[in-house]
């Protein structure tokens, strides 16, 4: 479990441990949500200790999963300690928010590196492990990947072009991985969680926590879905994207063709495209964009 020292990752790690999984808690431990500050073993060690105190099995890994070799070390640690790897949950991420016209190359690269490359790195080594095991036994093995996307990808996020792009890329990585690993017995799915964490403190600043009962934006609403997708019960769930928050799970359908136009000649001309496409968008307010989240009746979080 990557990025498991705080917030969503912590809640998901605790849930998997409660369900009986032995957990390798990965967290680079930098204090800033933008990936700034000195790395620390504290967050990963604390969650691992919490799992052990509750009677579970856990150990900490404090490497940077966006580093190819450190991601290898994470997978090898799980295999070496527990004999094999069954579940990979990718959750690690940072934010470097800025409008696209103000964003620096470094801000773009940092977010793509941690989110998208970090997901690829761990997936690569886990996939190689499962493929090797499957070939050795001549049959499918047990493997589960749960990746973390975002509604910023679904509905757009004006001040997060790097984050939205990375989260969209994670969905593409997930569906590709699902197709590639299905024959080995491995599933890969992605979730878009909505929760109050260090990374979303600005987004939910106006939504106060209730005085009584569980916060509708608590990470604990998301963790059970991760546990389900990691379980044998979800064997038929593969290559899917699910939005989850506050007691709600929505299964996102793949994009569908909204309208189709055929040229009356060998190829379209500008005038012909103007004649068919301009009326099609005539009722749409200027500046409005399509978002899959609109179809779900969801608003971005």
């Amino acid at each position: 479990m990557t990025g498991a020292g705080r917030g969503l990752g912590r809640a998901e790690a605790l849930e998997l441990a409660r369900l009986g999984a032995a957990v390798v808690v990965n967290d680079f431990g930098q204090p800033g949500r933008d990936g700034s500050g000195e790395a620390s073993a504290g967050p990963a060690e604390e969650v691992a200790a919490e799992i052990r105190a509750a009677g579970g099995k856990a150990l900490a890994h404090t490497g940077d999963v966006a580093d190819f070799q450190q991601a290898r070390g994470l997978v090898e640690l799980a295999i070496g300690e527990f004999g094999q790897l069954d579940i990979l949950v990718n959750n690690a991420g940072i934010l470097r928010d800025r409008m696209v016209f103000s964003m620096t190359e470094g801000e773009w690269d940092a977010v793509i590196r941690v989110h998208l490359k970090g997901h690829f790195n761990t997936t690569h080594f886990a996939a190689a492990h499962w493929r090797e095991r499957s070939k050795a036994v001549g049959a499918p093995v047990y493997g589960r990947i749960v990746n973390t996307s975002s509604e910023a990808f679904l509905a757009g996020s004006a001040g997060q072009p790097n984050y939205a792009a990375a989260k969209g890329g994670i969905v593409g990585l997930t569906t590709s991985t699902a197709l590639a690993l299905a024959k080995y017995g491995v599933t890969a799915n992605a979730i878009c969680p909505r929760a109050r964490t260090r990374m979303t403190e600005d987004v939910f600043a106006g939504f106060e926590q209730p005085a009584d009962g569980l916060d509708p934006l608590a990470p604990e609403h998301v963790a059970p879905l991760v546990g389900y997708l990691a379980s044998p019960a979800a064997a038929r769930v593969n290559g899917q994207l699910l939005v989850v928050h506050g007691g709600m799970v929505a299964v996102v359908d793949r994009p569908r063709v909204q309208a189709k136009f055929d040229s009356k000649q060998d190829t379209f001309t500008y005038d012909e495209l103007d004649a068919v496409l301009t009326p099609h968008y005539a009722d749409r307010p200027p500046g409005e964009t399509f978002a899959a989240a609109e179809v779900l009746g969801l608003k971005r979080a």
Side-chain angles (χ1 to χ4, degrees):
M1 166 91 55
T2 74
R6 304 178 178 92
L8 275 170
R10 173 184 172 274
E12 293 164 4
L14 294 175
E15 176 68 4
L16 286 175
R18 187 189 69 80
L19 293 171
V23 184
V24 179
V25 180
N26 164 266
D27 201 289
F28 200 34
Q30 291 175 303
R33 64 177 185 169
D34 62 351
S36 62
E38 292 295 324
S40 169
E45 293 283 6
E46 289 171 9
V47 175
E50 188 175 356
I51 291 172
R52 291 193 295 268
K57 295 180 180 179
L59 65 154
H61 179 272
T62 57
D64 176 9
V65 294
D67 180 283
F68 197 64
Q69 295 306 322
Q70 292 186 52
R72 180 202 295 270
L74 171 60
V75 173
E76 289 180 345
L77 177 62
I79 297 168
E81 183 71 18
F82 301 119
Q84 64 186 44
L85 176 67
D86 299 306
I87 302 162
L88 169 65
V89 181
N90 285 308
N91 182 68
I94 64 170
L95 293 177
R96 298 281 179 92
D97 293 353
R98 204 177 297 275
M99 301 295 281
V100 69
F101 42 78
S102 302
M103 182 164 288
T104 66
E105 180 182 15
E107 289 165 340
W108 173 272
D109 288 348
V111 169
I112 297 297
R113 176 183 179 272
V114 176
H115 286 275
L116 188 51
K117 187 182 179 187
H119 273 61
F120 162 74
N121 286 347
T122 53
T123 297
H124 167 77
F125 291 111
H129 168 68
W130 287 318
R131 179 172 178 264
E132 182 179 339
R133 278 176 49 200
S134 178
K135 287 189 171 185
V137 300
V141 296
Y142 188 94
R144 298 285 187 269
I145 299 174
V146 182
N147 289 332
T148 306
S149 183
S150 170
E151 288 177 85
F153 149 69
L154 281 175
S157 182
Q160 296 181 308
N162 48 4
Y163 181 75
K167 292 305 190 181
I170 286 168
V171 174
L173 172 65
T174 302
T175 54
S176 176
T177 301
L179 289 172
L181 300 186
K183 65 181 179 181
Y184 302 117
V186 179
T187 66
N189 296 285
I191 64 171
C192 294
R194 188 186 301 184
R196 192 191 308 275
T197 69
R198 184 177 57 145
M199 288 185 65
T200 61
E201 57 188 12
D202 295 340
V203 176
F204 298 125
F207 297 86
E208 299 303 323
Q209 299 186 40
D212 300 309
L214 184 63
D215 181 1
L217 294 171
E220 286 74 17
H221 288 296
V222 176
L225 177 61
V226 174
Y228 167 75
L229 292 173
S231 76
R236 294 181 180 273
V237 185
N238 194 30
Q240 300 298 297
L241 176 65
L242 302 98
V243 177
V244 54
H245 62 86
M248 188 241 31
V249 173
V251 179
V252 180
D253 201 358
R254 299 197 179 197
R256 296 182 177 182
V257 175
Q258 184 185 74
K260 181 176 178 291
F261 306 99
D262 295 311
S263 176
K264 297 179 181 179
Q265 47 205 16
D266 289 340
T267 187
F268 274 108
T269 64
Y270 170 87
D271 290 337
E272 190 178 12
L273 287 170
D274 180 33
V276 295
L277 290 178
T278 301
H280 177 70
Y281 291 106
D283 294 332
R284 185 177 288 268
E288 185 180 55
T289 62
F290 167 80
E294 295 172 0
V295 179
L296 293 169
L298 302 172
K299 292 185 178 180
R300 183 197 164 271

